[in-house]
Amino acid sequence: SEWVEAYRTADVGDPLPPHCYRTAAEAYQGLRRRGHQAVVICGESGAGKTVTNRKMLEYLCAVAAPKSGQSGANPRAITNSNVLLEAFGNAKTMRNDNSSRFGKLTKLHFNPSANFEVSSCDVDHYLLERSRIVGQAGGERNYHIFYQLLKSDRAKEFGLTGSAQTYWYTLQGGNCEIPGVDDKADFEELCDCMKSAGMSPDTVNFILETVAGVLLLGAVDFNGDDDRSSLDPTCQESVDQACKLLGVDAEEMLQALRSAYVKAPGQKAIRKEVGQPLAVANRDTVAKTIYARLFDFIVAVISRTLQPQRSRGGSVRGAPQPDAVVSLLDIFGFEDMNENGFEQLFINLTNERIQSLFNRIMFERELEEYRREGITAAFDPGRGNAECVDLFCLSKPPGIIKLLADQCQTGKDGAAFVSVLNGRFGSHPYFSVADPRGIQQVMKAKGLASKVAGRMKTQAGAARMTAKKFKKDLSLDYRECFGVRHYAGVVVYTVRDFVSKSRDTLLPHLAEVLRKSCKPHLQSLFADDGDDWRGTVGEKFVGQLEKLADDLQQGDTLFVRCIKSNMQQIPLHVDRKMVLEQLTRGGVVAALEMRHAGLPDRLEYRMFAEEFDLLDWSSRRAASVDSRVVTEVVLRSIVGVEHQGVLFAFGYNKVFMKSGVLSRLRTVMLLYTKQIVRKVQSRWRAFKGTKLVHRVTETWQIVAFAIDEAKVTGVWSVAGIGAALEEQQREVKPWWESIQGLDVKSAATKLEPLVKDTTFSALVSRIEATAKKVKTTAFRKTSADAAYASSIQQALADVHDMLAEIARIEEDTESVVDADGSKQQCEEVCEAARRRLEELRTTSLPELKYQGPRYDLLTDGPISVDTGAVDALVASVSELVDKARRCGHDLTVTRREFQKAIVESSQQRAEASARLDGLKADAQRCLTEGIEGVMDSVNLASQLEGQLDDLMEEASDAAAFLATVHELSEAVAGAAAAISKAKAELEKRERERTERSGVGIQLDDLAERLAEGLRSLRLRPAVQLESKDTDLAAELAAVSAEVAELRGQLALPLDTLKSKVLAVAARADKVVETLETSAQDEFSRRRAMFGGGAQASSALERPEDFIRQEGIQDHEAALMRVYCGVKELQEAKAQRSRVKRCLDHFVKFAYAGDIVFDPPKRA
């Protein structure tokens, strides 16, 4: 509460450190200026977004709480609702013990007419991670509520008799306990939060029943094969209890899970029994849907109960909210997991869109401000990430989400869908085509071993593969992968079950079973299953995302960037490289660079003049001076006219200044004001005869301030400072007390004896000297404390490095055979060193930090801090680490032999790897073109590279390593040969594509000529048309239809297509020539009727004049060469219409660089 109050009352210049309370305070104060404020809390997973959101919510509820007896929202209910949502929507992941698995937008409404007290709250949520309900990765948990309920005293009430390791939906992650978390106590807190959030006992009971029902549903298993399924007899009790809790008939539910319905057009649906895999999939779909809709229900209940109740004035809940809102967005952090699937795609898309919003607000709005004020911007906002967002979200041309929606109709998933993406976005700057080598490199960077089909087929590989070899096997097929260049780095996505997850709908017969539940609340969850818009999950989410972005831009938007300090979740440890990467990728560094390059400080001229007009003498002499004139005079006189345009610039309504200029002006203003104040005070005291009174008062204050500072800084007992201050205060106290309660004149009279008292002057000197000593000693102590804290921090960093080294030693010696017990001895030494290091990290060093340093504050000069205890602790444990290092060295003789093998084969491997890298572009071209066989050879080489990495990690078989390097060289040579052979096919396909493009252009030209002919016929008066013209029009229409038909058959075999086009072109030429001849005859006849007209050609402009008239005189020489060529053709009696068509074709062909024909691949 003290910190909340401190930030609530803080002024702009208060030296309080950056804190989420400050940002919340800015948003709250901003409501008085603009009624909609948004705070976007972003950062990587595990960076602290959830806690930050909770703290900001607590701050806003504390400073804007309704006064006692007034109507409004209950702040405690609002903060408790946040805890409630965390229980149902947060889970432990590999990177975070309390990771938000959904996006949350909390809107706090404030009442402007009641001094902006909080009046209500509502919550929107986005994309709950449904797959986690039925399965978790190793080391992760399901949602917290499942474990809390299992540990609670109410578990047996719902038929839950086992632990988290008993139920399929909670045991898959393996790690069911979170250090420092008491699930049972959290459940009790959750129940209190539900109550304070306004949930009735019936509602709470329904929620817990449903959670238990989902958990028990996961315990239902089936026997059978791909065609038939039956309930596992051991699961009957789980089925009965789950259906009882859900209020549905057990037999009916089992039949629905084991069934599918097939319906022919116009026929009644026919039930078909499904196999065991589909029955399990139906079970999981039911569980995911129930939990997801329960979560929707909880959010709706929270939003409804947090609306204001009936007030004294008669207003009722649900009345329109006042237009003052602070929105807090806590969105899931950017993720790059071991395997990134459907959920990670949308999580990272959200972060990409939020980053785009950040770029727009921080950079584009800044540029707009410069343009509006007529200031030339001195910074470049960069390219931004709009193209990356469009890669996902565009509808025309279709982006990834739209293409995924299309696949829901075709059923293409996995490698088939990736092939579609590769063909569409192969050259997109933010898309990367996955290849075997790239996948191997990704796995290596993540510290994983990629288990690729075919690995065991290599000669050296088969003898070396052991189950113990891989710490983690991850089956990735490059054909199912694609990469996206996000703002936070390249992420590789694996397409598995994207289509089914994108549909994510409950089959009608399963929904019908749940609709018939005897539980009213559960019935309501499935009552309106007919959505008005049956879009895919992706399409709906993109719509939500764009609406969210629009909402956030309605008012002022503030950003809180959470930074993750290290990946190991170790307190007091900062991974500098990782932090810098987050700052750079998140745009923070770019924002600082923009601030450095631009003019970030700005004030309106009126505000500038009001603050700094004292610095302009002319403004005080004149009756009225323009604010801009004052601003120009002050800046040019103090900063310097030579710095105009660099350190400051004048806009239409504001002055723009570099960082530091404004603070410099304020410092000058403060010094000038103090000087004036002192002069005024001095003259006033002389006038009033109160100099002596002021001296006594000032001396008393010096003593009092020195005493306070000595106690606060801890130097009271140093060098007799405290005793001296007490003695000096006793001496000055009688004089101070003697003037209390007297008027100025009487006090001056009372102090007249001091005029001749030299001892008082000496006392003042001693007090000033002691006060100075307090300041000096306090500064030395503060410096010593900082140095000591730095030594502790360095010691912790050293301990962290030594722990990492112990882990490396253990890893290096893991595969060594213990022939004489030396390995066991090494393990014991490593374990002892680890225990001691952990003791230092968690206990000894923190205790030393708390005790503080030992130092000598009496001696003048630089202070020396005694860090002997810290150094001794680090030295003692360093001896253990050195011993472990020596043991590891003795055990790893084989590794040293292996290092020798690495050196011997380094050049051969480097050459093979470089050659393989050089084949990447051509290999991707072959992959995009669908040329088979090439990627198999590249895949083999990539697998061998992966095996070399694995062998280097194990470092135990030098001969196998040398053999594999040789195999790699041969495999790369084979891949190069395969690509060289495939190049002919590539060139052939590219030539064919070019020819097909040319054929398409030729058909377009024919269609245009034929259409022009038809138009010319239609423009002729009916009286001039003859029967042959009617036949000609019919022939033109027939040929046009044939051309249109051929335009849709461009995928025909090229020779067939060209022959057909040649034939139709001949017909088109003949009919157009006939038309032109007819038109010329008609023109000649009509001209003859009016006496000829050789003068008609005189109306045409000279070629040079026409070129200038068209505004392309820069190209006059080239165009005149074309004209000369046409004249030569005319003199050679070339047919005019054919020459004209050729010229038209040349223009179209030259300007058709963007036309690429991509024929559909034949089966």
Side-chain angles (χ1 to χ4, degrees):
S1 60
E2 292 178 1
W3 283 108
V4 169
E5 184 63 20
Y7 280 95
R8 187 185 70 82
T9 58
D11 294 328
V12 176
D14 281 359
L16 287 171
H19 197 281
C20 60
Y21 286 169
R22 182 183 287 279
T23 306
E26 288 179 22
Y28 182 61
Q29 295 301 326
L31 290 175
R32 304 175 188 276
R33 180 182 66 255
R34 200 170 183 185
H36 189 221
Q37 302 287 314
V39 180
V40 179
I41 306 167
C42 45
E44 291 192 9
S45 179
K49 298 181 299 301
T50 299
V51 173
T52 301
N53 177 74
R54 190 189 309 154
K55 292 293 181 185
M56 295 182 79
L57 201 61
E58 290 171 357
Y59 175 88
L60 290 169
C61 288
V63 301
K67 300 298 184 292
S68 177
Q70 297 184 8
S71 63
N74 181 349
R76 184 167 178 268
I78 292 175
T79 54
N80 284 343
S81 68
N82 199 57
V83 177
L84 197 158
L85 288 177
E86 286 182 25
F88 288 88
N90 287 28
K92 179 189 183 302
T93 67
M94 292 295 291
R95 299 187 174 191
N96 186 2
D97 288 345
N98 189 34
S99 176
S100 296
R101 309 315 298 168
F102 69 105
K104 177 175 58 181
L105 180 67
T106 306
K107 294 181 180 179
L108 283 175
H109 299 268
F110 300 84
N111 189 351
S113 62
N115 197 26
F116 290 92
E117 293 176 355
V118 61
S119 60
S120 66
C121 174
D122 56 74
V123 180
D124 294 332
H125 73 286
Y126 306 91
L127 196 72
L128 178 73
E129 186 184 22
R130 298 187 178 195
S131 62
R132 182 170 296 273
I133 300 163
V134 299
Q136 309 87 43
E140 298 193 355
R141 297 208 317 177
N142 207 323
Y143 292 107
H144 295 323
I145 182 61
F146 291 107
Y147 306 89
Q148 293 171 2
L149 181 57
L150 286 169
K151 285 288 185 72
S152 74
D153 294 333
R154 297 192 63 183
K156 293 182 179 179
E157 178 183 336
F158 304 110
L160 301 174
T161 57
S163 66
Q165 294 295 325
T166 307
Y167 300 97
W168 176 243
Y169 286 168
T170 52
L171 67 82
Q172 296 173 65
N175 185 1
C176 296
E177 300 293 335
I178 302 176
V181 173
D182 186 342
D183 288 317
K184 183 176 181 179
D186 287 347
F187 181 81
E188 298 301 325
E189 182 185 0
L190 173 64
C191 292
D192 292 340
C193 290
M194 287 180 167
K195 183 178 179 180
S196 67
M199 292 186 178
S200 67
D202 287 344
T203 301
V204 173
N205 203 56
F206 159 68
I207 292 171
L208 298 179
E209 277 185 341
T210 307
V211 171
V214 168
L215 197 56
L216 287 163
L217 196 60
V220 177
D221 202 3
F222 296 91
N223 298 326
D225 52 28
D226 290 342
D227 298 319
R228 295 184 177 280
S229 60
S230 61
L231 177 68
D232 186 325
T234 62
C235 301
Q236 186 63 54
E237 185 179 348
S238 297
V239 173
D240 294 339
Q241 183 62 24
C243 292
K244 177 183 176 183
L245 292 170
L246 298 174
V248 299
D249 183 76
E251 289 301 321
E252 192 174 353
M253 172 62 80
L254 277 176
Q255 183 176 359
L257 294 176
R258 296 171 49 244
S259 303
Y261 285 83
V262 181
K263 184 178 181 182
Q267 301 292 324
K268 187 177 179 181
I270 302 173
R271 177 184 175 274
K272 175 188 175 185
E273 184 178 352
V274 300
Q276 188 267 350
L278 277 179
V280 171
N282 283 342
R283 176 203 68 191
D284 289 345
T285 301
V286 170
K288 288 189 293 183
T289 306
I290 292 174
Y291 190 87
R293 297 196 183 187
L294 175 67
F295 190 77
D296 296 343
F297 171 81
I298 293 170
V299 172
V301 169
I302 288 173
S303 295
R304 186 168 61 250
T305 56
L306 292 181
Q307 298 302 309
Q309 304 295 324
R310 183 180 298 275
S311 67
R312 290 181 180 179
S315 61
V316 295
R317 185 168 63 189
Q321 295 297 330
D323 190 23
V325 181
V326 173
S327 300
L328 300 177
L329 178 65
D330 174 14
I331 208 71
F332 13 59
F334 185 87
E335 291 188 348
D336 184 7
M337 313 297 281
N338 292 342
E339 182 175 346
N340 299 296
F342 184 83
E343 288 79 12
Q344 280 68 44
L345 185 78
F346 286 96
I347 286 172
N348 293 342
L349 166 59
T350 304
N351 282 270
E352 198 72 52
R353 185 65 183 88
I354 295 299
Q355 183 64 30
S356 175
L357 180 65
F358 175 84
N359 293 341
R360 170 175 166 70
I361 291 171
M362 295 298 294
F363 303 121
E364 294 181 22
R365 285 188 183 178
E366 186 78 359
L367 281 175
E368 180 58 32
E369 176 80 0
Y370 277 72
R371 286 192 288 266
R372 190 165 50 246
E373 289 289 325
I375 303 291
T376 302
F379 64 91
D380 179 10
R383 185 174 181 176
N385 67 332
E387 284 185 85
C388 187
V389 176
D390 289 344
L391 171 67
F392 286 94
C393 299
L394 277 185
S395 296
K396 292 183 180 180
I400 292 175
I401 304 303
K402 182 65 173 67
L403 290 174
L404 179 58
D406 294 342
Q407 306 319 305
C408 290
Q409 305 299 321
T410 64
K412 287 184 179 179
D413 205 344
F417 178 49
V418 172
S419 179
V420 172
L421 296 180
N422 290 343
R424 177 73 66 173
F425 304 116
S427 59
H428 195 284
Y430 287 89
F431 184 91
S432 62
V433 178
D435 57 50
R437 182 167 170 75
I439 294 298
Q440 291 283 355
Q441 290 171 345
V442 168
M443 293 299 99
K444 181 179 178 182
K446 293 182 178 180
L448 302 168
S450 178
K451 184 174 64 178
V452 186
R455 178 192 291 272
M456 302 294 290
K457 295 180 181 178
T458 60
Q459 295 173 10
R464 295 191 303 271
M465 293 296 125
T466 62
K468 187 179 179 180
K469 183 177 180 81
F470 298 105
K471 293 178 292 183
K472 174 73 175 174
D473 278 347
L474 190 63
S475 177
L476 288 184
D477 186 341
Y478 70 91
R479 288 174 287 255
E480 295 179 335
C481 299
F482 68 91
V484 175
R485 293 180 178 87
H486 288 286
Y487 75 92
V490 178
V491 176
V492 173
Y493 297 98
T494 304
V495 179
R496 289 180 183 153
D497 302 324
F498 269 34
V499 168
S500 61
K501 290 180 179 180
S502 190
R503 290 178 182 143
D504 207 18
T505 54
L506 199 61
L507 293 173
H509 70 284
L510 292 170
E512 182 61 29
V513 173
L514 296 170
R515 263 196 299 272
K516 293 193 294 186
S517 169
C518 64
K519 306 280 185 178
H521 283 307
L522 191 68
Q523 271 188 7
S524 67
L525 299 184
F526 296 89
D528 52 349
D529 234 29
D531 255 336
D532 292 334
W533 175 43
R534 290 189 176 277
T536 63
V537 169
E539 289 174 317
K540 291 178 181 178
F541 183 72
V542 167
Q544 282 184 316
L545 194 57
E546 290 308 311
K547 182 180 182 302
L548 172 64
D550 291 341
D551 289 345
L552 293 176
Q553 295 180 86
Q554 286 181 6
D556 296 332
T557 307
L558 302 172
F559 287 87
V560 175
R561 180 73 65 175
C562 297
I563 301 298
K564 190 170 185 176
S565 59
N566 63 80
M567 291 297 293
Q568 295 78 26
Q569 302 184 48
I570 299 175
L572 302 177
H573 173 64
V574 175
D575 184 334
R576 295 176 180 272
K577 181 180 178 183
M578 177 181 170
V579 168
L580 183 59
E581 284 179 356
Q582 292 174 74
L583 293 173
T584 303
R585 290 170 174 173
V588 177
V589 172
L592 293 173
E593 290 173 345
M594 176 191 71
R595 186 175 179 85
H596 176 73
L599 303 167
D601 293 329
R602 60 210 62 170
L603 285 173
E604 292 182 2
Y605 291 123
R606 177 184 56 80
M607 296 176 65
F608 186 96
E610 288 176 357
E611 186 172 355
F612 299 110
D613 64 340
L614 277 178
L615 302 178
D616 177 23
W617 283 96
S618 62
S619 68
R620 280 172 276 158
R621 289 196 299 268
S624 62
V625 179
D626 183 73
S627 298
R628 174 161 181 163
V629 174
V630 173
T631 305
E632 292 176 355
V633 170
V634 170
L635 283 169
R636 287 169 179 164
S637 61
I638 294 179
V639 182
V641 67
E642 68 276 10
H643 295 302
Q644 183 172 338
V646 179
L647 296 182
F648 60 90
F650 301 110
Y652 300 131
N653 304 296
K654 299 177 183 178
V655 59
F656 289 68
M657 295 164 282
K658 276 274 190 186
S659 295
V661 172
L662 194 59
S663 60
R664 178 181 173 186
L665 290 173
R666 285 172 175 158
T667 301
V668 171
M669 186 70 182
L670 182 63
L671 292 173
Y672 187 60
T673 305
K674 283 184 176 179
Q675 183 183 10
I676 293 174
V677 168
R678 284 171 180 165
K679 285 183 179 179
V680 172
Q681 286 177 337
S682 177
R683 292 177 183 179
W684 177 254
R685 289 173 191 142
F687 174 74
K688 299 292 289 184
T690 59
K691 262 188 175 180
L692 203 55
V693 175
H694 173 70
R695 192 179 186 191
V696 171
T697 303
E698 189 178 55
T699 303
W700 174 260
Q701 290 175 345
I702 290 173
V703 173
F705 290 154
I707 289 173
D708 288 342
E709 185 174 4
K711 289 180 178 179
V712 169
T713 57
V715 300
W716 177 263
S717 59
V718 175
I721 287 177
L725 286 171
E726 286 179 336
E727 176 62 27
Q728 291 162 4
Q729 189 180 44
R730 278 196 301 272
E731 290 183 45
V732 78
K733 188 174 182 180
W735 296 105
W736 163 253
E737 290 179 342
S738 68
I739 62 174
Q740 297 307 303
L742 300 179
D743 59 72
V744 175
K745 189 173 181 180
S746 301
T749 304
K750 187 86 173 176
L751 295 175
E752 282 181 3
L754 285 180
V755 175
K756 298 178 181 180
D757 191 349
T758 58
T759 58
F760 184 75
S761 296
L763 173 62
V764 171
S765 298
R766 283 188 288 116
I767 288 174
E768 289 175 345
T770 305
K772 183 178 179 181
K773 186 174 183 181
V774 169
K775 287 186 177 298
T776 303
T777 307
F779 175 76
R780 285 161 55 79
K781 182 177 183 298
T782 302
S783 301
D785 289 340
Y788 187 73
S790 178
S791 70
I792 294 286
Q793 192 64 37
Q794 182 58 50
L796 286 168
D798 293 341
V799 166
H800 179 266
D801 292 341
M802 285 187 277
L803 279 168
E805 185 170 4
I806 291 295
R808 284 194 296 272
I809 293 171
E810 290 174 334
E811 187 175 350
D812 289 343
T813 59
E814 181 182 3
S815 58
V816 175
V817 178
D818 192 6
D820 56 0
S822 56
K823 180 182 178 181
Q824 182 179 351
Q825 182 183 359
C826 183
E827 289 174 347
E828 291 172 354
V829 172
C830 287
E831 180 59 29
R834 181 185 299 283
R835 282 198 305 270
R836 185 68 179 128
L837 286 166
E838 289 291 349
E839 182 185 348
L840 259 65
R841 185 177 68 83
T842 59
T843 306
S844 301
L845 289 173
E847 284 179 355
L848 283 177
K849 185 176 182 180
Y850 177 76
Q851 292 168 5
R854 290 178 294 175
Y855 35 55
D856 180 12
L857 294 173
L858 301 178
T859 308
D860 294 332
I863 191 168
S864 60
V865 180
D866 182 7
T867 60
V870 177
D871 297 338
L873 285 174
V874 175
S876 66
V877 78
S878 295
E879 294 178 1
L880 284 173
V881 175
D882 287 340
K883 186 176 180 180
R885 193 183 295 120
R886 289 192 297 273
C887 290
H889 181 270
D890 294 341
L891 279 174
T892 54
V893 175
T894 305
R895 282 187 178 272
R896 293 195 292 279
E897 294 177 356
F898 192 86
Q899 290 296 323
K900 183 179 178 182
I902 291 176
V903 173
E904 290 177 3
S905 59
S906 59
Q907 183 175 353
Q908 184 181 5
R909 185 185 180 187
E911 290 174 353
S913 297
R915 191 177 182 188
L916 186 59
D917 285 336
L919 298 175
K920 182 177 180 179
D922 289 332
Q924 287 191 345
R925 285 172 60 203
C926 294
L927 177 63
T928 304
E929 288 291 339
I931 299 177
E932 298 181 357
V934 173
M935 291 308 295
D936 291 339
S937 59
V938 175
N939 190 15
L940 175 61
S942 298
Q943 290 170 16
L944 287 166
E945 277 220 313
Q947 286 187 22
L948 286 173
D949 292 337
D950 298 335
L951 285 167
M952 287 185 68
E953 183 179 352
E954 188 177 283
S956 61
D957 194 340
F961 183 82
L962 292 171
T964 307
V965 170
H966 181 68
E967 285 185 49
L968 174 63
S969 298
E970 292 182 346
V972 171
I979 289 176
S980 177
K981 184 178 178 182
K983 277 186 176 180
E985 178 64 21
L986 271 176
E987 292 171 0
K988 176 185 174 184
R989 294 190 183 189
E990 288 171 355
R991 281 196 307 271
E992 182 176 322
R993 182 181 290 106
T994 303
E995 288 187 49
R996 288 184 186 275
S997 178
V999 169
I1001 293 172
Q1002 184 180 0
L1003 288 172
D1004 290 341
D1005 185 33
L1006 286 174
E1008 185 178 338
R1009 287 168 53 204
L1010 293 167
E1012 185 180 347
L1014 280 169
R1015 282 194 300 272
S1016 66
L1017 277 177
R1018 293 191 184 102
L1019 290 174
R1020 290 190 191 179
V1023 295
Q1024 295 180 9
L1025 292 176
E1026 303 176 3
S1027 61
K1028 64 179 182 179
D1029 293 327
T1030 305
D1031 296 339
L1032 194 59
E1035 180 68 11
L1036 280 169
V1039 177
S1040 295
E1042 192 172 345
V1043 168
E1045 183 180 358
L1046 278 175
R1047 194 67 181 86
Q1049 297 178 351
L1050 288 176
L1052 287 171
L1054 188 59
D1055 292 339
T1056 304
L1057 179 65
K1058 288 167 71 174
S1059 64
K1060 287 190 174 186
V1061 171
L1062 192 61
V1064 78
R1067 287 183 59 195
D1069 286 344
K1070 183 176 179 181
V1071 70
V1072 170
E1073 285 178 18
T1074 304
L1075 179 63
E1076 288 178 349
T1077 302
S1078 172
Q1080 289 173 358
D1081 291 345
E1082 178 62 22
F1083 179 74
S1084 299
R1085 184 181 65 79
R1086 294 177 63 195
R1087 190 168 61 174
M1089 290 173 60
F1090 294 96
Q1095 72 278 10
S1097 62
S1098 64
L1100 292 174
E1101 296 178 277
R1102 295 169 58 248
E1104 298 90 337
D1105 297 335
F1106 187 78
I1107 291 170
R1108 295 189 184 96
Q1109 179 181 322
E1110 291 296 314
I1112 52 174
Q1113 56 269 23
D1114 292 344
H1115 308 290
E1116 182 175 336
L1119 290 167
M1120 288 305 296
R1121 287 196 295 273
V1122 175
Y1123 168 70
C1124 292
V1126 172
K1127 285 291 292 179
E1128 289 179 9
L1129 291 168
Q1130 185 259 338
E1131 291 168 359
K1133 305 298 182 184
Q1135 188 175 353
R1136 175 184 170 183
S1137 61
R1138 291 181 180 272
V1139 171
K1140 181 176 180 297
R1141 286 199 300 273
C1142 286
L1143 289 173
D1144 286 345
H1145 179 77
F1146 297 160
V1147 170
K1148 289 178 181 178
F1149 191 82
Y1151 283 87
D1154 292 335
I1155 299 176
V1156 178
F1157 173 64
D1158 190 5
K1161 294 180 174 60
R1162 289 173 289 169

